Amino acid sequence: MTDERLDTVAIITDGNGRWATKRGLIRSQGHVAGAKRIQPVLETFRRIGVHNVIMYAFSTENWKRPKDEVDTIMKLIYKYLVDVVEDMIKTDKEFCIKFIGDLTPIPEPLKSKCIEVENMAKDRAFTCSVALNYGGRDEIVHAANAAHAAGHETLTEEILSKYMYTGTTPDPDLIIRTGGNFRVSNFLLWQGAYSEYVILDTLWPDFDDAAIMKAVGEFYTRSRRFGGLDR
Ligand code: FPP
């Protein structure tokens, strides 16, 4: 199934903690299981013709979690970049990664590793954007300040869009939230203005091809009008 209508997908990867708790495991083990899902999910979206996947790895609000859990997530992301992503960028000429969010408070060595892997390759056929210390409100304020600093006195949607962390990545056609909660959680507030939302009960570590097809199938039942009328 390939359709140019589904070019960019964003995912709120929720449910790792509940997945672990249900199995009598500690929450961090849910994040370990969650990290293992990333590569197969990217491969499936690629196979069906998607060019950009934006994943919510860590929000500006996630620092409120216990330090142990925050440390585990940071270490997991580092390990994932070293063990999986670097190799993918080297061997797969169509894959690159970018980070969206404010990396300033990200601990070392993760922060340097993010910059390093992002600089390994850019503008390839398939981009995975990882939202790290990302908040939609923070992004809008950051973009407005950056545009102002660059000398723009009057802002337009086009100007502000250019200064978003997402840069040239298209706005998501589809935003999937796993874990069953109906909220936006400060994710892509600007870019999601006309995205189709699909909420699945599936917990992120269980987000397999069947769940992907359910979300994509739901997307294709929608009639996107962007505020206009059906033609
Ligand atoms: C939400 O589940 C998940 C997170 C806050 C962390 C997700 C991060 C990873 C899977 C690692 C990402 C790595 C890369 C390279 C992208 P939750 O803990 O809020 O689950 P709950 O709602 O069941 O408590």
Side-chain angles (χ1 to χ4, degrees), residues 58 63 74 102-108 110-112 114 132-133:
F58 194 85
W63 299 103
M74 297 298 158
D102 176 10
L103 295 190
T104 318
I106 298 299
E108 292 293 358
L110 175 59
K111 183 163 51 177
S112 301
C114 293
L132 184 57
N133 189 33

Side-chain angles (χ1 to χ4, degrees), residues 6 163 168:
L6 189 53
Y163 289 92
T168 53

Side-chain angles (χ1 to χ4, degrees), residues 13-18 27 31 34-35 38 57 62 65 69 73 77 80 130:
T13 57
D14 198 18
N16 291 345
R18 278 167 283 164
R27 291 178 54 84
H31 298 313
I38 296 167
N62 284 152
R65 294 187 178 207
E69 187 174 336
I73 294 174
I77 298 174
Y80 195 78
V130 177

Side-chain angles (χ1 to χ4, degrees), residues 42-159:
L42 295 180
E43 273 167 20
T44 299
F45 277 117
R46 234 171 121 172
R47 214 170 43 241
I48 63 171
V50 168
H51 293 106
N52 301 283
V53 172
I54 309 171
M55 307 188 85
Y56 210 176
F58 194 85
S59 75
T60 45
E61 288 71 38
N62 284 152
W63 299 103
K64 295 179 199 154
R65 294 187 178 207
K67 187 175 178 310
D68 268 9
E69 187 174 336
V70 171
D71 287 350
T72 302
I73 294 174
M74 297 298 158
K75 283 189 188 135
L76 247 179
I77 298 174
Y78 181 82
K79 190 169 156 39
Y80 195 78
L81 296 179
V82 172
D83 291 353
V84 182
V85 173
E86 284 185 336
D87 250 19
M88 279 169 78
I89 298 171
K90 279 185 204 146
T91 57
D92 181 345
K93 298 293 174 221
E94 296 197 337
F95 175 83
C96 65
I97 193 161
K98 86 182 203 188
F99 290 88
I100 61 169
D102 176 10
L103 295 190
T104 318
I106 298 299
E108 292 293 358
L110 175 59
K111 183 163 51 177
S112 301
K113 187 52 78 180
C114 293
I115 296 164
E116 190 189 323
V117 292
E118 189 170 81
N119 286 331
M120 281 173 76
K122 287 180 195 247
D123 300 323
R124 287 181 166 175
F126 184 90
T127 303
C128 173
S129 298
V130 177
L132 184 57
N133 189 33
Y134 174 89
R137 287 184 171 184
D138 169 69
E139 181 181 38
I140 292 167
V141 170
H142 170 271
N145 283 328
H148 182 256
H152 294 287
E153 282 178 15
T154 306
L155 296 179
T156 63
E157 291 188 14
E158 285 69 29
I159 292 170

